[in-house]
Amino acid sequence: MTDVKYGRGYVYSIQYHIVWCVKYRHKVLVGDIDVRLKERLHQIATDNGFTISEIETDCDHIHLLIDCTPQHSIPTMIKALKGVSARLLFKEFPNLKKKLQGGHLWNPSYFVATVSENTEQQIR
């Protein structure tokens, strides 16, 4: 069960299940790229004040379970995660950009669902 957290004058427990895909579903999230992506995403989350509780990749898409505060907006979190991770991975793995048409790592769309006590274990 998710821990209840306390803010100044409010109590909350907010989790999101977020999924997005590699552009054109290219199967590039393997090996060192996969490892570095996960490390980078955890760092981006920390830098932006939220937490990734679970993270799983499958060569062409990624699943995240995110814990955040009421002040975090979904589009802002996703923009940070996708934008910064793409920039850092392209810098670290220059051949990655050549594998992708147009030089974009991520598909612009994403899936997001709220997580409750009833669904958290299924997502994990």
Side-chain angles (χ1 to χ4, degrees):
M1 186 175 129
T2 305
D3 293 334
V4 173
K5 297 173 184 86
Y6 299 86
R8 190 176 178 100
Y10 55 93
V11 179
Y12 65 94
S13 174
I14 300 172
Q15 283 191 312
Y16 296 111
H17 176 207
I18 299 173
V19 182
W20 70 78
C21 300
V22 173
K23 186 88 170 189
Y24 306 115
R25 299 297 291 253
H26 286 291
K27 298 182 183 319
V28 297
L29 304 181
V30 294
D32 290 342
I33 293 172
D34 180 53
V35 171
R36 292 299 285 156
L37 171 62
K38 290 174 181 175
E39 292 170 358
R40 296 295 193 180
L41 290 173
H42 278 291
Q43 187 59 54
I44 294 163
T46 300
D47 292 348
N48 286 276
F50 58 92
T51 305
I52 297 174
S53 302
E54 298 283 335
I55 185 169
E56 279 301 324
T57 57
D58 185 10
C59 60
D60 67 351
H61 68 280
I62 186 162
H63 290 261
L64 302 172
L65 183 60
I66 291 181
D67 285 285
C68 61
T69 69
Q71 288 75 26
H72 287 100
S73 74
I74 295 165
T76 303
M77 290 187 295
I78 292 174
K79 181 179 179 183
L81 291 166
K82 290 170 78 173
V84 175
S85 66
R87 184 170 38 82
L88 295 173
L89 288 176
F90 283 149
K91 186 176 179 181
E92 189 170 351
F93 302 97
N95 289 335
L96 182 58
K97 202 169 210 173
K98 295 174 188 166
K99 292 180 184 179
L100 301 165
Q101 300 164 330
H104 296 284
L105 179 57
W106 303 121
N107 186 307
S109 60
Y110 58 88
F111 165 83
V112 63
T114 55
V115 178
S116 70
E117 293 173 20
N118 300 331
T119 61
E120 182 179 359
Q121 198 54 43
Q122 291 173 321
I123 290 168
R124 288 186 185 278

